[in-house]
Amino acid sequence: MAKRILVRSMLHGGLLLITAIFFLPTLGLFITSFREPSVVTNSGWWTVLTDFWNVSQFTLENYFNIIEDENLIQHFWNSVQISVPATVLPILIGSMAAYALAWMKFPGRRLALVFMVVMLVIPLHITFVPILRAYLGIEDALPIQLTGSIPGLFMAHTGYGLPLAVFLLFSFMLELPKELFESAAIDGANTWQAFWRIVFPLALPGMASIAIFQFIWVWNSLLVTLIFIQPGSPKAPLNVVVTQIGQMGQDWHNLTAAAFFLIIVPMIIFFSLQRYFVRGLLGGSVKG
Amino acid sequence: MRIRPWVPWLYMAPALLLMGLYLVYPMATNFVYSFMDRYSKEFVGLANYVWFFNNPDTLETLYNNVLWLILFVFGVVFLGLAIAVLLDRVPYEKVSKALIFMPMGIAAVGGGIAWKFVYAYAPKGEEQVGLLNAIVTSLGGDPIAWTINQMSVFPIPSWSLNDIMIIIVAVWIWTGFSMVYCSASYKSQPRELRESARIDGANEWQIFWRITIPMMRIPLTTITVAMVTFALKLFDEVYVMTGGNFGTELLALDIYEYIWTFQHWGRASAIAVVLLIAVLPFIIYNIWDYRRRGVI
């Protein structure tokens, strides 16, 4: 009996410790972002816990400063302008391809599916130099800007996101009852009407999973962004700017406020729609 | 509904066009560029590859990737599995799971900064505002500059303390993923199986190794393969924490540096090919796995 109590308390102790380790860095970030700059370097953030309800020790100053100094609203807006098209485009374009793959029989269908899977798992790193070369070549020939531009980046994300969108939507549409399609055929609908009126609305829950996964993926994506948009550019999204602030030194009050500003959007989506995110993640874990 | 043979291709055309432009064409061209000079103008034969395999810096990068491959993958899979199995036995499972999964949403930039703060260093005698050094000094130790310290921890010199400290951050981010995956699989196992083993006198340890693990073979392999490829392609965590300085370079950071910092695109393409070859066995496994599940 004594042994059993010992084992149980070790289990609870271990699990609570692990949970704390997973939670404490975020808590420290959060608390520090609301502390006066002068006290941040003089005492650890955990010291506020002894007198937590004393609200006067907290301030919004860091947020106001960082938003003004770094023009964070503009960079936040850049992030939105990149992430929204990079989410909507692959899903719209991908749903059409998925519809053909799931509901039509045609020679080459299997090959097209294998192609999607191969594209899904290939590392994106192998595409960077040629895409940049092509972008620069187009810029020489035509009066458009692709490198360092928001469309140049979200189009790349669209191409990169397509295999996953097609593949997950294909799996999702395959599950829809076949009778729907047959009854649409009897009613005389053509393939486009069947797609827009029947398949597209029914595939919306599947699209939600992919949308949430892809949005958070693009919002947080650092490497792909840095390849196309240089740090310091006015077009840089929020995560690049926050990384830069982090590399400038140890201004913890500014840095933690900037980091919190960055993670608040994915966190809201994440907590309100966690179920969808997990589903997208399980499918997307092999993404290149 | 009668469908003309070109109709499905019409629906797939926009997707195929974009994937052709952003995936197929670049992949093919990247091989060509890897045999060319920094401006992609003249052929240099194997020079970029010869350089890669004879350069102490890039070899250190390769060693670092191997360290990540071992520690990161083991950390994520082991912790995720252990947490999933243990949390199944306690009433606060849901809350713990939400908190452990949260870093997945915070991601590398936010998480990297949170941990930079945990690792913050001030010289001995000054107030330590970093949690880890505060603990170390309160136990009587000397503060350590965790992300800079290149103290060798393993017999291989490039495997140093700061590499491990960054690996911890990545494990912290990705454990939630492996926990959710393992937990779903564990909960789908019939409880009666473990109950009857208990009645037969098996202890928890035996049940774990002889029933739980063998039944989770497939999900565990899936996570391991996903994490191995992830470790080979990893960029964000290291870039945020050290920018690849202090001997923490990885292949993906080298690619980025040879594109923008050194602007040698022949070498950048060659490193990308090396990365692809390293990932290739796992790509083939993934394709085989899709076939096995009858998806394609």
Side-chain angles (χ1 to χ4, degrees), chain A residues 201-212:
Chain A
L202 286 174
L204 280 174
M207 291 181 192
S209 293
I210 304 161
I212 288 155

Side-chain angles (χ1 to χ4, degrees), chain A residues 103-116:
Chain A
W103 288 55
M104 298 176 190
K105 284 197 181 68
F106 59 95
R109 175 178 168 277
R110 219 185 137 78
L111 195 70
L113 276 172
V114 174
F115 171 75
M116 295 294 168

Side-chain angles (χ1 to χ4, degrees), chain A residues 12 19 22 32 40 42 110 122 125-126 130 133 135 191-192 220 227 230 246-247 267 270 282 287, chain B residues 11 22 26-27 30 33 38-40 92 96 101-102 107 116-117 127 129 172 181 233 239 260 275 291:
Chain A
H12 289 300
T19 309
F22 274 86
T32 305
V40 167
N42 289 332
R110 219 185 137 78
I122 293 271
H125 308 58
I126 200 161
R133 233 352 132 218
Y135 272 9
T191 56
W192 184 249
N220 288 328
I227 291 296
Q230 298 284 290
Q247 285 168 348
M267 287 300 265
F270 182 77
L282 295 182
K287 192 170 187 272
Chain B
Y11 279 95
Y22 281 98
M27 275 171 211
N30 187 86
Y33 286 165
R38 62 193 311 158
Y39 309 108
S40 319
Y92 44 84
S96 273
F101 193 60
M102 195 169 65
K116 248 179 125 160
F117 192 45
E127 187 70 32
V129 296
W172 176 80
Y181 213 115
K233 298 182 299 196
Y239 185 80
W260 288 123
L275 175 69
R291 292 195 79 104

Side-chain angles (χ1 to χ4, degrees), chain B residues 32-197:
Chain B
V32 181
Y33 286 165
S34 74
F35 298 108
M36 294 171 95
D37 67 357
R38 62 193 311 158
Y39 309 108
S40 319
K41 285 224 162 67
E42 278 172 44
F43 275 92
V44 294
L46 285 169
N48 294 321
Y49 293 95
V50 171
W51 162 82
F52 181 87
F53 288 106
N54 290 293
N55 179 343
D57 292 340
T58 47
L59 290 178
E60 183 180 346
T61 301
L62 269 186
Y63 278 126
N64 283 343
N65 267 102
V66 173
L67 178 69
W68 272 84
L69 209 66
I70 300 166
L71 286 188
F72 170 75
V73 175
F74 176 78
V76 169
V77 176
F78 170 79
L79 268 180
L81 175 66
I83 293 172
V85 171
L86 292 177
L87 274 181
D88 191 56
R89 294 142 204 264
V90 295
Y92 44 84
E93 179 182 9
K94 273 212 157 91
V95 181
S96 273
K97 263 183 164 172
L99 290 175
I100 292 169
F101 193 60
M102 195 169 65
M104 281 297 311
I106 295 173
V109 177
I113 288 166
W115 278 89
K116 248 179 125 160
F117 192 45
V118 172
Y119 293 155
Y121 166 84
K124 197 181 175 184
E126 286 180 28
E127 187 70 32
Q128 298 294 337
V129 296
L131 185 59
L132 195 54
N133 274 328
I135 294 172
V136 167
T137 48
S138 73
L139 296 173
D142 286 345
I144 297 171
W146 300 101
T147 55
I148 296 171
N149 194 309
Q150 295 190 57
M151 184 176 70
S152 176
V153 225
F154 292 104
I156 293 172
S158 68
W159 292 6
S160 50
L161 180 68
N162 55 355
D163 289 319
I164 292 170
M165 300 323 278
I166 304 174
I167 292 174
I168 290 174
V169 179
V171 169
W172 176 80
I173 291 174
W174 283 91
T175 294
F177 164 73
S178 120
M179 173 195 73
V180 167
Y181 213 115
C182 287
S183 182
S185 157
Y186 186 68
K187 286 188 191 303
S188 71
Q189 293 181 6
R191 272 177 189 276
E192 300 77 41
L193 216 62
R194 298 196 286 269
E195 288 305 329
S196 61

